[in-house]
Amino acid sequence: MFLLFLIPILIGIGVSSQTAINAQLRSYTKSPYLASAISFFIGMLLLIVLTFITKHTIAIPASVFSNNPWWIWLGSITGAFSLTVNILLFAKLGSKLAAVLPISGQIMMGIVIDQFGLFSSPITKLTLIKIIGLVFVILGLLSIVGIFESSKKDSNLSTNRVPHQFIWELLGIFSGVLFAIQTATNGRLGVVLHSPIHAALVTFTVGTIVLIIISFITIAPVLKFNNNGNKLGKKDWWVLIGGILGGINIILIAWLAPQIGTGAVVVISLFGQLGFSILVDQFAFFRSSKIPVTRLQIIGAAVMLVGIVIVYFV
């Protein structure tokens, strides 16, 4: 059972890596929608192969549609939206904020889901200790964003704010809300279809179709090559593996959520996601811009993680 609680950490690392990789893919497509569509399509191909390997049918019985609530299919739309927003956030605000803002949304929505038992989740009432933990989470989040940063010398976030950054930050939080909903609904869909792989395939197939349609509507430009003439699949092949990471993550989420709970999957994965996002910025992984981590941000991350532990494990 202990190993099951370690897997979400890998999921979080995968989410952070996928965001950074897909942000680089966008530099080729010149469109966040087309980048997301390509990522979803590659993930869908992986899931089709895994479905046949496991000898599970890709067909969905009519009874699944008639005997289950409509919201079990929400994961496709929420997943496509969250992925696209994360690509935009990574380019606009950097890896840390692209992780921290959705994380806050995930935690808040996770609390709501547990409190009211939404999406057939077990009910876990909000207690005083959880409220204290949420205060820690909020204080840590504000520290990482840079609200408490008073020194221009030490601040990267407060002195280099992008236009309409507050709107982008709200969009990031909303993306996290949708990701928490996706975790719960995909977990339920995996139970209904008796296969987390099949559930993930449904999510990626519908998401791919939606994103392709959006790409055509927005007249997304065709895939381009970089300035040195290297084609995708050679030197820069790695920009295409975001979909593979996404497919694996969705399978693990759909498999784990019914076993250890939606809240546990969401929150434990945050450890890996937040920690690796800081490393991505600090060391400029995946050709991202190097954004040194400040002391206040490190303290904020520690406070936030303490809050997460209080909310879900005390």
Side-chain angles (χ1 to χ4, degrees):
M1 180 62 69
F2 176 74
L3 292 177
L4 291 181
F5 285 89
L6 293 179
I7 294 176
I9 297 178
L10 298 178
I11 293 175
I13 294 175
V15 170
S16 179
S17 300
Q18 182 188 16
T19 300
I21 292 171
N22 285 341
Q24 292 303 314
L25 178 59
R26 185 200 177 190
S27 67
Y28 289 87
T29 65
K30 308 303 179 183
S31 164
Y33 308 110
L34 187 54
S36 296
I38 292 172
S39 181
F40 260 66
F41 178 73
I42 293 174
M44 183 186 70
L45 294 180
L46 169 68
L47 293 167
I48 290 175
V49 172
L50 292 177
T51 299
F52 281 106
I53 290 177
T54 57
K55 298 181 180 180
H56 197 285
T57 178
I58 62 175
I60 302 176
S63 60
V64 172
F65 295 94
S66 60
N67 298 334
N68 291 280
W70 59 271
W71 49 257
I72 65 173
W73 311 105
L74 278 179
S76 305
I77 306 300
T78 57
F81 181 87
S82 295
L83 178 62
T84 303
V85 169
N86 283 347
I87 292 175
L88 293 170
L89 286 179
F90 188 94
K92 289 284 186 179
L93 306 179
S95 179
K96 286 189 293 294
L97 287 183
V100 171
L101 295 172
I103 281 173
S104 63
Q106 290 176 52
I107 294 175
M108 289 185 289
M109 190 60 196
I111 292 292
V112 173
I113 291 174
D114 288 346
Q115 175 74 13
F116 299 102
L118 303 180
F119 311 114
S120 298
S121 299
I123 295 178
T124 304
K125 293 295 184 180
L126 189 63
T127 62
L128 177 60
I129 191 68
K130 286 189 175 183
I131 294 176
I132 294 174
L134 285 176
V135 172
F136 274 80
V137 170
I138 294 172
L139 290 175
L141 173 66
L142 294 177
S143 297
I144 295 175
V145 171
I147 296 298
F148 303 129
E149 188 69 76
S150 59
S151 172
K152 294 184 178 181
K153 179 179 180 180
D154 296 328
S155 176
N156 287 305
L157 295 171
S158 60
T159 59
N160 296 313
R161 294 181 66 85
V162 302
H164 311 295
Q165 179 160 330
F166 180 69
I167 296 178
W168 285 109
E169 290 169 350
L170 288 179
L171 190 61
I173 293 173
F174 182 63
S175 171
V177 169
L178 294 184
F179 186 83
I181 292 175
Q182 180 191 28
T183 299
T185 56
N186 277 357
R188 182 59 185 171
L189 183 60
V191 172
V192 169
L193 296 178
H194 307 291
S195 169
I197 295 177
H198 196 190
L201 176 58
V202 171
T203 297
F204 269 69
T205 300
V206 177
T208 298
I209 295 172
V210 170
L211 287 167
I212 288 176
I213 293 173
I214 294 176
S215 295
F216 277 108
I217 291 176
T218 57
I219 318 178
V222 297
L223 194 68
K224 295 184 178 181
F225 304 122
N226 55 19
N227 294 331
N228 59 21
N230 292 329
K231 295 183 177 181
L232 288 176
K234 294 184 179 180
K235 180 180 179 181
D236 303 316
W237 59 269
W238 56 270
V239 301
L240 297 175
I241 67 174
I244 296 176
L245 294 175
I248 295 173
N249 285 342
I250 295 300
I251 291 173
L252 293 175
I253 288 172
W255 172 61
L256 278 176
Q259 299 189 58
I260 66 176
T262 299
V265 172
V266 168
V267 174
I268 298 175
S269 67
L270 302 184
F271 285 88
Q273 184 179 350
L274 180 59
F276 195 72
S277 294
I278 291 176
L279 292 178
V280 168
D281 273 354
Q282 180 68 29
F283 299 104
F285 291 154
F286 307 116
R287 294 182 187 166
S288 62
S289 300
K290 185 174 182 179
I291 306 176
V293 180
T294 66
R295 181 179 302 176
L296 183 59
Q297 288 172 333
I298 294 176
I299 295 174
V303 171
M304 188 176 182
L305 293 181
V306 169
I308 291 172
V309 172
I310 293 175
V311 170
Y312 286 96
F313 299 103
V314 173

